[in-house]
Short mmCIF file of all heavy atoms in Angstrom, two decimals:
data_model
loop_
_atom_site.label_atom_id
_atom_site.label_comp_id
_atom_site.label_asym_id
_atom_site.label_seq_id
_atom_site.Cartn_x
_atom_site.Cartn_y
_atom_site.Cartn_z
N TYR A 32 -25.01 38.86 -19.98
CA TYR A 32 -25.11 38.88 -18.53
C TYR A 32 -23.97 39.71 -17.97
O TYR A 32 -22.81 39.54 -18.38
CB TYR A 32 -25.02 37.46 -17.96
CG TYR A 32 -26.24 36.61 -18.26
CD1 TYR A 32 -26.28 35.83 -19.41
CD2 TYR A 32 -27.32 36.58 -17.38
CE1 TYR A 32 -27.39 35.06 -19.68
CE2 TYR A 32 -28.42 35.80 -17.65
CZ TYR A 32 -28.45 35.04 -18.81
OH TYR A 32 -29.55 34.26 -19.08
N TYR A 36 -18.74 41.74 -8.80
CA TYR A 36 -18.21 40.99 -7.68
C TYR A 36 -17.49 41.94 -6.73
O TYR A 36 -16.87 42.92 -7.15
CB TYR A 36 -17.21 39.92 -8.15
CG TYR A 36 -17.85 38.73 -8.82
CD1 TYR A 36 -18.20 38.75 -10.16
CD2 TYR A 36 -18.10 37.57 -8.09
CE1 TYR A 36 -18.78 37.65 -10.77
CE2 TYR A 36 -18.69 36.46 -8.69
CZ TYR A 36 -19.02 36.52 -10.03
OH TYR A 36 -19.61 35.43 -10.61
N GLN A 38 -14.58 41.96 -3.70
CA GLN A 38 -13.49 41.15 -3.17
C GLN A 38 -12.79 41.91 -2.05
O GLN A 38 -12.13 42.93 -2.28
CB GLN A 38 -12.48 40.79 -4.26
CG GLN A 38 -11.39 39.84 -3.79
CD GLN A 38 -10.49 39.37 -4.93
OE1 GLN A 38 -10.39 40.02 -5.97
NE2 GLN A 38 -9.82 38.24 -4.73
N ARG A 41 -7.56 39.55 0.78
CA ARG A 41 -7.24 38.18 1.16
C ARG A 41 -8.47 37.27 1.18
O ARG A 41 -8.51 36.27 1.91
CB ARG A 41 -6.51 38.13 2.50
CG ARG A 41 -5.23 38.92 2.48
CD ARG A 41 -4.39 38.74 3.71
NE ARG A 41 -3.22 39.61 3.69
CZ ARG A 41 -2.13 39.37 3.00
NH1 ARG A 41 -2.03 38.27 2.29
NH2 ARG A 41 -1.12 40.22 3.01
N GLY A 43 -11.75 35.55 -1.56
CA GLY A 43 -12.17 35.36 -2.94
C GLY A 43 -13.29 36.32 -3.31
O GLY A 43 -13.97 36.86 -2.43
N GLY A 95 -25.42 31.51 -20.66
CA GLY A 95 -25.17 30.52 -19.64
C GLY A 95 -24.04 29.58 -19.99
O GLY A 95 -23.81 29.26 -21.14
N TYR A 96 -23.33 29.11 -18.97
CA TYR A 96 -22.24 28.15 -19.10
C TYR A 96 -21.19 28.61 -20.10
O TYR A 96 -20.64 27.83 -20.86
CB TYR A 96 -22.74 26.76 -19.49
CG TYR A 96 -23.50 26.09 -18.38
CD1 TYR A 96 -24.83 25.73 -18.53
CD2 TYR A 96 -22.90 25.83 -17.15
CE1 TYR A 96 -25.52 25.12 -17.51
CE2 TYR A 96 -23.59 25.23 -16.11
CZ TYR A 96 -24.90 24.87 -16.31
OH TYR A 96 -25.58 24.27 -15.29
N GLN A 97 -20.93 29.88 -20.11
CA GLN A 97 -19.88 30.43 -20.96
C GLN A 97 -18.74 30.94 -20.08
O GLN A 97 -18.90 31.18 -18.90
CB GLN A 97 -20.44 31.61 -21.78
CG GLN A 97 -21.58 31.25 -22.71
CD GLN A 97 -21.09 30.57 -23.96
OE1 GLN A 97 -19.98 30.83 -24.42
NE2 GLN A 97 -21.90 29.69 -24.51
N LYS A 98 -17.61 31.10 -20.71
CA LYS A 98 -16.45 31.63 -19.99
C LYS A 98 -16.73 33.08 -19.58
O LYS A 98 -17.22 33.88 -20.38
CB LYS A 98 -15.23 31.56 -20.89
CG LYS A 98 -13.96 32.12 -20.30
CD LYS A 98 -12.85 31.99 -21.32
CE LYS A 98 -11.80 33.05 -21.15
NZ LYS A 98 -10.76 32.96 -22.18
N PHE A 101 -13.59 38.97 -16.90
CA PHE A 101 -13.54 39.88 -15.76
C PHE A 101 -12.79 41.16 -16.10
O PHE A 101 -11.86 41.15 -16.92
CB PHE A 101 -12.82 39.22 -14.58
CG PHE A 101 -13.59 38.13 -13.91
CD1 PHE A 101 -13.51 36.81 -14.35
CD2 PHE A 101 -14.40 38.41 -12.82
CE1 PHE A 101 -14.22 35.80 -13.74
CE2 PHE A 101 -15.11 37.40 -12.19
CZ PHE A 101 -15.03 36.10 -12.66
N GLY A 102 -13.20 42.25 -15.44
CA GLY A 102 -12.39 43.45 -15.45
C GLY A 102 -11.26 43.30 -14.45
O GLY A 102 -11.20 42.33 -13.68
N ARG B 10 -1.86 29.83 1.88
CA ARG B 10 -0.69 30.50 1.33
C ARG B 10 0.52 29.57 1.44
O ARG B 10 0.52 28.65 2.25
CB ARG B 10 -0.40 31.81 2.04
CG ARG B 10 -0.21 31.68 3.54
CD ARG B 10 0.32 32.97 4.14
NE ARG B 10 -0.49 34.11 3.79
CZ ARG B 10 0.01 35.34 3.66
NH1 ARG B 10 1.29 35.57 3.84
NH2 ARG B 10 -0.79 36.33 3.35
N MET B 31 -19.44 21.65 -12.66
CA MET B 31 -18.30 22.37 -13.23
C MET B 31 -17.52 23.06 -12.12
O MET B 31 -18.08 23.72 -11.26
CB MET B 31 -18.77 23.42 -14.24
CG MET B 31 -19.58 22.83 -15.39
SD MET B 31 -20.29 24.09 -16.46
CE MET B 31 -18.84 24.60 -17.38
N GLN B 37 -5.04 34.97 -10.29
CA GLN B 37 -5.23 36.41 -10.10
C GLN B 37 -3.90 37.04 -9.75
O GLN B 37 -3.38 36.83 -8.67
CB GLN B 37 -6.27 36.69 -9.01
CG GLN B 37 -6.63 38.16 -8.87
CD GLN B 37 -7.71 38.41 -7.84
OE1 GLN B 37 -7.82 37.68 -6.85
NE2 GLN B 37 -8.53 39.42 -8.06
N GLU B 58 -7.35 26.65 -20.96
CA GLU B 58 -7.42 27.88 -21.75
C GLU B 58 -6.08 28.09 -22.46
O GLU B 58 -5.05 27.52 -22.10
CB GLU B 58 -7.75 29.06 -20.86
CG GLU B 58 -9.12 28.96 -20.22
CD GLU B 58 -10.26 28.93 -21.23
OE1 GLU B 58 -10.29 29.83 -22.11
OE2 GLU B 58 -11.11 28.03 -21.14
N GLN B 99 -26.23 22.70 -9.94
CA GLN B 99 -26.09 21.98 -11.21
C GLN B 99 -26.91 22.62 -12.32
O GLN B 99 -26.61 22.46 -13.49
CB GLN B 99 -26.52 20.52 -11.02
CG GLN B 99 -25.71 19.79 -9.99
CD GLN B 99 -25.32 18.39 -10.46
OE1 GLN B 99 -25.47 18.04 -11.61
NE2 GLN B 99 -24.81 17.58 -9.55
N ALA B 101 -27.64 25.99 -12.51
CA ALA B 101 -27.47 27.45 -12.59
C ALA B 101 -26.58 27.81 -13.76
O ALA B 101 -25.79 27.02 -14.25
CB ALA B 101 -26.89 27.98 -11.29
N TYR B 102 -26.71 29.03 -14.19
CA TYR B 102 -25.85 29.55 -15.23
C TYR B 102 -24.56 30.07 -14.63
O TYR B 102 -24.46 30.30 -13.45
CB TYR B 102 -26.57 30.68 -15.97
CG TYR B 102 -27.70 30.19 -16.82
CD1 TYR B 102 -29.01 30.26 -16.37
CD2 TYR B 102 -27.45 29.64 -18.07
CE1 TYR B 102 -30.04 29.80 -17.14
CE2 TYR B 102 -28.49 29.18 -18.85
CZ TYR B 102 -29.78 29.26 -18.39
OH TYR B 102 -30.80 28.81 -19.15
N SER B 103 -23.58 30.23 -15.47
CA SER B 103 -22.24 30.54 -14.96
C SER B 103 -22.13 31.97 -14.45
O SER B 103 -21.08 32.38 -13.99
CB SER B 103 -21.18 30.27 -16.02
OG SER B 103 -21.49 30.92 -17.23
N TYR B 104 -23.20 32.77 -14.51
CA TYR B 104 -23.09 34.09 -13.88
C TYR B 104 -23.17 33.96 -12.37
O TYR B 104 -22.80 34.86 -11.65
CB TYR B 104 -24.14 35.07 -14.39
CG TYR B 104 -25.58 34.61 -14.28
CD1 TYR B 104 -26.24 34.61 -13.07
CD2 TYR B 104 -26.27 34.20 -15.40
CE1 TYR B 104 -27.55 34.21 -12.98
CE2 TYR B 104 -27.59 33.79 -15.32
CZ TYR B 104 -28.23 33.78 -14.10
OH TYR B 104 -29.52 33.37 -14.01
N GLY B 109 -13.61 30.28 -3.93
CA GLY B 109 -12.92 29.98 -2.69
C GLY B 109 -12.11 31.18 -2.24
O GLY B 109 -12.01 32.18 -2.95
N ARG B 113 -2.51 31.90 -1.87
CA ARG B 113 -1.50 32.91 -2.23
C ARG B 113 -0.15 32.22 -2.32
O ARG B 113 0.38 31.76 -1.32
CB ARG B 113 -1.49 34.01 -1.17
CG ARG B 113 -0.60 35.20 -1.49
CD ARG B 113 -0.75 36.27 -0.39
NE ARG B 113 -2.09 36.81 -0.35
CZ ARG B 113 -2.49 37.90 -0.98
NH1 ARG B 113 -1.62 38.58 -1.71
NH2 ARG B 113 -3.72 38.32 -0.89
#
Side-chain angles (χ1 to χ4, degrees):
Chain A
Y32 290 91
Y36 286 83
Q38 185 174 22
R41 301 188 185 281
Y96 290 119
Q97 299 282 330
K98 178 181 152 183
F101 288 88
Chain B
R10 57 170 53 210
M31 302 173 76
Q37 186 177 32
E58 296 298 309
Q99 300 224 12
Y102 289 99
S103 53
Y104 55 76
R113 187 176 295 267

